[in-house]
Amino acid sequence: FFIHQDVLLPIDWESRVFQSLGELEEDDPSWGVVGAVGAVALEPGKTKELRGHWCDPSGYYYRKPLPHEVQSLDEQWLGVRRSRGVHFDPMLPGFHCYGMDLSLTARDMGLKSYALDAFVWHKFHDTRGHLVGRPQESDKIKHRWSEPFMAEFQPAADYVEEKWQKYLPFQTTSWNWGNP
């Protein structure tokens, strides 16, 4: 598992993730990547659809049914089974878009990505350790899509788009590539 530094795992998280993994193993024993929240594949004329169980300063979300196949997973937390061969791309610039890249890597290998019912609280504290109750209290949220943020984000987004052109259009929970 790979987990953001600003994610709070509830006391029962481990049992919930393994229960949800058990359910997934019954339906798709050769899954590729799992996580808390993901974007369902784009369909022309439809709005973005998310699946997962999470909370952040924007609110509480329980988008069922779960487990649910998704096109991509948010980087809040991700799980892979090393024996399946899904791995991080060392050429990906920076630290953005790796959830999309891992999900597409799995897809390219014939594996699927799934959002599980394993609740987490994302962006629960700021860099000083203070609880964040509203989006306005989070420097991370306030500066999202700012010029400095985009200077870090855009090289990764461009790399992923170039690498996975054959799968366009695709999306994450917060970004779209090649909209129809």
Side-chain angles (χ1 to χ4, degrees):
F1 293 106
F2 304 92
I3 302 171
H4 268 198
Q5 76 283 1
D6 61 351
V7 167
L8 177 67
L9 302 176
I11 291 172
D12 67 344
W13 182 81
E14 188 174 352
S15 63
R16 289 186 69 145
V17 77
F18 285 111
Q19 177 181 345
S20 195
L21 269 174
E23 293 169 14
L24 177 58
E25 287 279 338
E26 290 178 20
D27 293 334
D28 183 359
S30 61
W31 56 268
V33 186
V34 295
V37 57
V40 176
L42 283 171
E43 289 186 36
K46 291 198 173 185
T47 59
K48 185 176 292 193
E49 189 178 336
L50 304 179
R51 290 286 187 267
H53 192 186
W54 77 103
C55 178
D56 64 30
S58 303
Y60 170 81
Y61 305 93
Y62 193 20
R63 306 266 170 85
K64 301 185 269 186
L66 296 170
H68 196 283
E69 183 182 347
V70 294
Q71 183 177 44
S72 67
L73 289 156
D74 189 88
E75 292 91 358
Q76 296 176 22
W77 74 264
L78 298 172
V80 297
R81 182 170 286 156
R82 290 190 318 184
S83 63
R84 303 250 161 85
V86 179
H87 60 277
F88 287 97
D89 180 348
M91 301 302 292
L92 181 68
F95 57 89
H96 293 284
C97 303
Y98 61 88
M100 185 78 245
D101 188 61
L102 280 174
S103 296
L104 289 171
T105 297
R107 179 179 176 182
D108 206 50
M109 299 169 67
L111 305 171
K112 297 176 182 177
S113 297
Y114 292 90
L116 300 182
D117 186 1
F119 173 78
V120 295
W121 184 4
H122 188 211
K123 298 178 186 139
F124 78 100
H125 68 78
D126 62 18
T127 56
R128 296 171 303 281
H130 300 125
L131 291 177
V132 175
R134 302 175 318 170
Q136 302 86 336
E137 297 170 357
S138 168
D139 289 338
K140 185 175 182 179
I141 295 170
K142 285 192 295 192
H143 293 100
R144 167 89 24 114
W145 315 123
S146 67
E147 196 171 311
F149 174 87
M150 290 306 293
E152 290 179 344
F153 179 84
Q154 197 65 56
D158 292 344
Y159 178 85
V160 167
E161 182 171 13
E162 178 68 26
K163 177 180 176 182
W164 297 112
Q165 283 187 25
K166 67 183 176 182
Y167 292 128
L168 287 172
F170 50 81
Q171 67 179 345
T172 61
T173 55
S174 60
W175 188 259
N176 296 337
W177 285 266
N179 271 335

